[in-house]
């Protein structure tokens, strides 16, 4: 993430009910236990400041949303925004998303998984930190319901192409299907903060969807 400082959080807003540590969860874990009501579930890994989860949980109140973010300060900020907006269908999990998928999420629990603008980790010795790696791809396929969708967007063309190749090699999901950007109707009408930054600076964004086959 860019290193810009975040706005100060209003101490009067209690966001403790909107955030949980991944390391405090235990298997077997039911993701619906984070919410007041069970509903179709969407999960984002690497939520940053949480614009996607905030906007989508407002647009689709009949679904539940989990945002996952490893950086404490971004995760806290995202949870704060959800609490401020009084969302009961969205929750942030602070910790390693790869571990969350690998060790905690049950099979067929999500109708969609989202990865937007993951860090590319260019150096060879840092590659294992990439979110898009074979083990995660197998987990995301397992976690999706039949007919579920995986959304992947990045500004890094090489990461996009490598991910499309990895998806082909390590999953049976159909795709990539191209996705067109929608026009922004207001200043925060972007999928994520990174999409906003890229589009405002006229950078390319590479977008794809993959669909899990209905057996
Ligand atoms: C480049 S930022 C993009 C943030 C957001 N998706 C957006 O588009 O604005 C990538 C984010 O992924 C988070 N991240 C990296 N590795 C992660 C992991 N293993 N689990 C959860 N979050 C992770 C980083 O802390 C960072 O906030």
């Amino acid at each position: 993430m860019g290193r810009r400082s975040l706005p100060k959080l209003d101490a009067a807003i209690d966001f403790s009910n909107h955030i949980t540590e991944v390391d405090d969860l235990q298997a077997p874990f039911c993701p619906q236990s984070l919410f007041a009501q069970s509903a179709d579930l969407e999960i984002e890994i690497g939520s940053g400041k949480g614009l996607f989860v905030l906007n989508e949980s407002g647009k689709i109140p009949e679904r539940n949303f989990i945002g996952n973010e490893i950086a404490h300060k971004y995760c806290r900020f995202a949870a704060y925004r959800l609490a401020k907006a009084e969302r009961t269908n969205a929750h942030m999990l602070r910790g390693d998303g790869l571990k969350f998928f690998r060790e905690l999420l049950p099979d067929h629990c999500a109708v969609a998984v989202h990865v937007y603008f993951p860090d590319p980790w260019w150096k060879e010795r840092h590659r294992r930190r990439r979110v898009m790696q074979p083990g995660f791809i197998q987990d995301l396929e397992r976690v999706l319901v039949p007919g579920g969708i995986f959304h992947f967007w990045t500004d890094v063309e090489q990461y996009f192409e490598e991910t499309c190749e990895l998806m082909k090699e390590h999953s049976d999901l159909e795709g990539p299907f191209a996705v067109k950007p929608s026009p922004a109707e207001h200043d925060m009408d972007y999928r994520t903060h990174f999409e906003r930054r890229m589009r405002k600076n006229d950078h390319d964004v590479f977008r794809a969807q993959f669909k899990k086959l209905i057996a």
Side-chain angles (χ1 to χ4, degrees):
M1 289 289 288
R3 298 293 163 223
R4 284 177 209 160
S5 60
L6 296 172
K8 208 166 178 300
L9 309 190
D10 177 351
I13 293 181
D14 174 9
F15 57 90
S16 58
N17 288 331
H18 285 85
I19 189 166
T20 302
E21 284 286 318
V22 170
D23 287 344
D24 289 344
L25 301 174
Q26 281 182 346
F29 167 68
C30 171
Q32 300 293 345
S33 65
L34 297 169
F35 303 98
Q37 293 191 334
S38 289
D40 283 350
L41 177 68
E42 303 203 22
I43 305 171
E44 183 190 25
I45 177 168
S47 301
K49 292 188 269 183
L51 187 63
F52 168 75
V53 174
L54 178 69
N55 282 346
E56 291 302 299
S57 59
K59 278 187 215 159
I60 321 177
E62 66 278 13
R63 284 201 175 173
N64 287 335
F65 290 83
I66 293 177
N68 162 248
E69 171 53 50
I70 202 164
H72 287 267
K73 70 174 182 176
Y74 292 122
C75 196
R76 286 167 55 81
F77 183 67
Y80 168 85
R81 293 171 106 180
L82 296 178
K84 193 171 173 193
E86 299 182 354
R87 295 281 193 272
T88 55
N89 62 331
H91 194 94
M92 291 301 302
L93 290 182
R94 210 295 308 163
D96 181 7
L98 300 179
K99 175 181 171 178
F100 174 54
F101 271 71
R102 189 176 59 241
E103 296 180 15
L104 290 157
L105 281 172
D107 297 357
H108 306 157
C109 67
V111 297
V113 171
H114 304 260
V115 175
Y116 298 120
F117 303 89
D119 300 309
W121 297 112
W122 289 117
K123 290 186 184 154
E124 200 51 49
R125 67 177 190 280
H126 292 153
R127 276 296 164 90
R128 65 191 165 75
R129 297 186 197 166
R130 271 194 177 182
V131 168
M132 296 312 304
Q133 50 179 277
F136 174 68
I137 289 172
Q138 285 156 7
D139 284 330
L140 86 83
E141 181 168 16
R142 179 182 63 74
V143 159
L144 281 173
V145 297
I149 306 284
F150 171 54
H151 303 258
F152 178 74
W153 297 13
T154 176
D155 56 312
V156 180
E157 187 169 14
Q158 191 181 330
Y159 197 176
F160 183 78
E161 283 167 3
E162 286 173 10
T163 295
C164 292
E165 278 304 306
L166 282 179
M167 291 296 295
K168 214 186 294 172
E169 259 177 68
H170 297 280
S171 85
D172 288 326
L173 269 67
E174 281 187 320
F177 300 108
V179 177
K180 283 197 185 133
S182 7
E185 286 175 12
H186 55 81
D187 196 41
M188 281 296 155
D189 189 19
Y190 294 92
R191 188 61 69 105
T192 69
H193 282 280
F194 258 66
E195 196 216 4
R196 178 174 180 271
R197 190 188 299 177
M198 294 309 154
R199 282 179 52 185
K200 288 198 169 226
N201 288 299
D202 288 326
H203 289 307
D204 287 335
V205 173
F206 304 90
R207 302 171 177 84
Q209 279 186 10
F210 299 82
K211 185 170 182 182
K212 182 163 167 174
L213 292 170
I214 299 172

